[in-house]
Structure formats: structure tokens, C-alpha cells
Amino acid sequence: MAIQPFSYARKKKILVLISRGGGGHRSAGEALQEILGDSYDVEINYVFQDILKSVDTLHFLTQGKFTGEDLYNFLLKNNQKNLLRWMINHGKKVMRSAPIKKAFDRFFEALPELPDLIISPTPMFNYGAACSAQKYDIPFLILPTDLDGSTFLNGFPDMSTHVNFKLALPYDDQEIRSRTLENKKLRDDQICVTGFPVKPSCTRKYSPHEKEQIRKAFHLSSSHKTVTLIMGAVGGKLLLSHLKSILALSPHEHGLQLELNVCTGRNKKIAAKIDYYLISNGAHRAPTGAYVMSSGMIIHVRGYLSNLAELMAVSDLVITKTGSCTVNEAIYLEKKVILDNTEQSTARYFAWEEFNIPFVEKYGLGLSFTDARQLPMLIASLLKYPEKSGTLLERPPFEENLRALVQSMLGE
């Protein structure tokens, strides 16, 4: 009697389209992989590099040695506001639906097997991609990684006729809906609220015991207030400037004991500069590697952390740039934020980041600063007298809602 080999049912394939521009899209891709990876075959695709090379002028001119994403990140790191504004406006024109649809058609035709669902947490190109997806009868989900998601609907007509297409909004907020849609009209069944695409580590509730263990792992004292300074994947140059302003704070004058985490990520150059500055200004090294200032403030300079969410979870306050990813991670972790709205801030030239400031202030989630010299006063104020939230912001359970939405779009 022949024994039939046991066969496993094929996992449905989800194609996630992300960009190398900034760090938010990669973080969203990792969140989707973590949440959906057990049930589906999740493929992360760097869409501009892999599918849309034909619409990237720099990629063509340099034969792939330098791309539009490379230029974007270079300008971002060097705070080239005017050039960034030009690049964004130029990008909106370049990302026309016809050539994008053609590029996606070629991509799909070359695949041995089509994906069962496409998720895009990346802006600019989605209309052309959605047109191609409809041609091949592939459901398409746009998952904005900005509260103002208008760039994710770039090129969409006033009225969308797509069938299996959905837009997922992060919160049930009328201003978010209005800013994202602008004058475009989607059917009610095409819009849903899922929550912001954060990793499960940002949505879980940490017990007091877990928090104490995390603090021990990071060499943080339970008797101190903890402030964490994060300027993102491309914001390293502002770290030292902001740190210098924070060091003007004398914790004891405010009855505080204070520890500060300065997160440098993979930027070893800025970490070395911070080390030199602190030692030059009288800091001495503790056995844990921390810097102790004459004011009593303790500074921890931390490189890349795969468990950054855990550090944020045990922080009392997060100081960060206006990028939506870190802001919303802090929101889900229920941490107060102080947002950088200085002249060097990306909020000054990215309208979608500018929107995050009044949003945070409207819901009593934190404050912003236009001059780094305001930081000592803001830190002391929020640590001693935490603002009570104004209008309550409901944080939708992203993991649960995403799973349900994916199942619905796949007809499961």
C-alpha cells in the first residue's frame, strides 16, 4: 500500500512595499513581518530599488550607483531644506500613474506566482501600483506611516473606482481623515481605522516587575526620572546640540534625580563627539559606562538598540524629532513627548510632520520646542507636573485590527 506524502497548505503571500528613505518605513515593514509572519508568507520589497528603477532618473544616470533614495537621505542628513522641498515636489510629478503601472505590470508578469495581497506603508506611488494590482485582481492596502497621509494618495483621482482596495487610518480623528483625503473621495467601505503600524512591543502592557527588570538591564536607577533623547535614523547631528542645552538643567534645583539616555543608533561619529564633549566638560565614567555630570545628572550614550521600545517603556519622557514612527511609538507606550520644532526640524519642510505637533498638543500628549534652550524648562515642568490629557485619544489595537482586516481582504 503506497503512502501518500504529507503536503502542507501553501501560506498566502503578502507583498509589503517599503522604502529606504528614513527609518519609519523599515520599522513598519518589520512590524508587519512580526505580526503576520506566522500566518502568511510576508515578503518585504524595497520598491524603489526593485520595481521602480525605471522611474528613478538618478538610478538611470549613474547605472544604479546612486539612487533617488540615496539623494533623499543625503539631503535629510545635511538639513538641505530647499533641495528637499524641490525633490518632494518633483517626486510628486515623476510618480505618475502610467509609468508606475507599467513598471508594476512588468514586475507581476515576471513573477512565478502572484502575491495574494499587497500592503504599502510607503507614499507617492500607490495609485499606479493599485491600478496594476486591480488588473491582476490583487487586493491592495495602503497603510500610511504618517498621521497626515496625503502623500500616500498622491495621484489618486477625485473618485476611486478600485474594487478590493482599502486605506487604513491610524486613529479615528476627523483632522487626520480630512488631511489624508484632501479633496479625494473614497467609499466608506474603502476606509478603516486600524491604529498606527507599531511593533507589538509598543502595544503590550509591561508589568511593574518587567519594568524593573528592564531598568536593571539598562543600568537605570529606580530612584531617578528617566528621559530618552531620540533623533531617528538621520537626525544624529542634532543630538549633540540638544544635549548641550539639556545639560544646562540642574536637576537638584528642581528636586529631581535625572538620568538621560542619548540614543545615537548606528552613528558612531556622533557617539564619539558626545563622549569627547562630556569628558571635556567634567563628566566622569561610572562602572556601568555611564557619564556622571557635576550637576548629578547621569548620561547614558546608547548605540543601536533592537529593544528600543523597552527603553522607551521605562522612560518618563521622550524627546524626539517629529517623524511619525517614534512619535506614535511613544503614544502607544503612553509616554509624554517633547517634539523638535526648531529651524533644523523636518517639521519645517515636511507638511506631514508639521501636522504631528498640533495633534500631540491637542490630545495632551506632550509639547514642542522652537529653541533647544527651552528644553531644561520643558523637561523639569513635564517631569514635576505631568500634563493631564485633554481630549482622550483612543489607541486602536493595531495587531488585532490588522489581522482582521487582512483576513477580510483575503476572503478568509
Side-chain angles (χ1 to χ4, degrees), residues 75-312:
L75 296 177
L76 201 55
K77 285 179 182 178
N78 291 278
N79 197 36
Q80 296 295 316
K81 301 178 190 176
N82 292 330
L83 289 174
L84 275 166
R85 288 193 191 100
W86 169 85
M87 188 175 184
I88 292 162
N89 291 328
H90 179 68
K92 289 180 179 179
K93 297 173 184 177
V94 169
M95 294 293 162
R96 292 176 293 114
S97 60
I100 289 172
K101 179 181 180 300
K102 188 180 293 185
F104 270 90
D105 284 349
R106 287 195 300 267
F107 174 73
F108 290 139
E109 287 165 5
L111 290 178
E113 188 174 57
L114 291 174
D116 297 284
L117 171 67
I118 298 171
I119 302 179
S120 173
T122 304
M124 296 298 189
F125 65 86
N126 289 309
Y127 183 61
C131 289
S132 180
Q134 178 163 272
K135 174 183 174 181
Y136 291 90
D137 197 27
I138 306 170
F140 194 91
L141 170 62
I142 295 180
L143 192 65
T145 47
D146 291 300
L147 302 183
D148 171 1
S150 53
T151 56
F152 290 77
L153 295 181
N154 177 56
F156 271 74
D158 291 343
M159 180 68 76
S160 174
T161 58
H162 288 79
V163 181
N164 204 348
F165 157 80
K166 290 190 184 293
L167 169 70
L169 297 178
Y171 304 103
D172 188 9
D173 178 87
Q174 186 55 49
E175 288 181 82
I176 286 178
R177 186 178 294 255
S178 299
R179 285 287 291 260
T180 298
L181 292 174
E182 294 182 309
N183 297 321
K184 300 174 179 66
K185 293 181 176 64
L186 298 178
R187 301 188 310 273
D188 288 343
D189 65 290
Q190 292 178 310
I191 304 174
C192 55
V193 176
T194 57
F196 196 87
V198 294
K199 297 176 183 178
S201 56
C202 294
T203 58
R204 63 172 295 192
K205 299 296 182 184
Y206 295 87
S207 70
H209 175 71
E210 287 175 318
K211 287 185 177 181
E212 187 57 35
Q213 293 302 113
I214 293 169
R215 295 186 72 85
K216 285 181 179 177
F218 282 110
H219 303 292
L220 295 169
S221 171
S222 57
S223 63
H224 286 56
K225 293 289 186 181
T226 302
V227 177
T228 296
L229 174 63
I230 311 169
M231 296 310 294
V234 292
K237 289 191 175 181
L238 294 174
L239 280 171
L240 181 55
S241 171
H242 292 351
L243 174 60
K244 289 177 181 179
S245 295
I246 293 171
L247 291 176
L249 171 64
S250 178
H252 295 311
E253 288 182 8
H254 299 277
L256 294 170
Q257 290 182 294
L258 183 62
E259 294 193 68
L260 174 68
N261 299 301
V262 182
C263 299
T264 60
R266 293 189 171 92
N267 193 334
K268 294 182 180 179
K269 287 184 179 180
I270 196 64
K273 288 182 180 179
I274 290 172
D275 172 84
Y276 178 80
Y277 181 83
L278 292 174
I279 296 299
S280 299
N281 282 270
H284 70 267
R285 299 295 290 268
T288 60
Y291 302 80
V292 182
M293 309 303 296
S294 58
S295 67
M297 188 185 303
I298 300 172
I299 313 291
H300 302 269
V301 180
R302 306 191 187 276
Y304 172 75
L305 297 172
S306 60
N307 57 345
L308 179 59
E310 292 186 354
L311 180 62
M312 292 170 66

